[in-house]
Amino acid sequence: QVQLVESGGGLVQAGGSLRLSCAASGNFFSINDMSWYRQAPGKQRELVAQISSRGSTTYVDSVKGRFTISRDNAKNTVYLQMNSLKPEDTAVYICNAQIWSGGVLRIHWGLGTQVTVSS
């Protein structure tokens, strides 16, 4: 069974930084794209950043220049470095990965980690 486990969330003042991690575990062959989504209360889930298996990245406009997504394929882990945090970044941040297992590509989600930015 494949699992994604996030860590690194917390409470930070505006202008501060946090680093999120998401590790994949279980029995699988390989991982394609890995992504970070976020969902704030009363809002739809949005894609924040995505990284391909080769390291190509995309970001939502609101975080460009402030957030950096990276991955360590040897550790099956994706990171999100968040700098210059704003109160509007407050949300549950959820990891997503496309994982090959048993000859099938499936989408997996973590449970999420809370990020709260105070003004």
Side-chain angles (χ1 to χ4, degrees):
Q1 185 177 358
V2 178
Q3 282 190 318
L4 297 177
V5 179
E6 301 101 333
S7 61
L11 173 63
V12 64
Q13 288 188 332
S17 298
L18 284 173
R19 188 190 193 211
L20 306 183
S21 299
C22 171
S25 63
N27 187 16
F28 56 88
F29 176 70
S30 65
I31 304 175
N32 285 4
D33 292 350
M34 302 185 82
S35 307
W36 286 98
Y37 286 72
R38 66 186 178 188
Q39 187 161 21
K43 294 188 177 181
Q44 288 189 332
R45 184 174 295 188
E46 71 168 344
L47 175 62
V48 176
Q50 187 172 66
I51 185 167
S52 73
S53 58
R54 296 185 177 185
S56 298
T57 59
T58 58
Y59 299 91
V60 67
D61 285 346
S62 60
V63 308
K64 285 180 180 177
R66 300 189 297 122
F67 290 10
T68 302
I69 189 170
S70 60
R71 64 191 285 172
D72 184 333
N73 291 331
K75 295 182 179 180
N76 298 315
T77 299
V78 62
Y79 305 96
L80 186 67
Q81 178 67 43
M82 305 185 294
N83 299 328
S84 302
L85 282 161
K86 304 176 181 180
E88 51 264 43
D89 294 318
T90 295
V92 175
Y93 284 70
I94 308 156
C95 178
N96 168 290
Q98 303 170 354
I99 300 178
W100 283 102
S101 178
V104 178
L105 183 65
R106 292 186 177 91
I107 306 300
H108 294 267
W109 294 89
L111 296 179
T113 185
Q114 177 70 45
V115 171
T116 303
V117 184
S118 63
S119 57

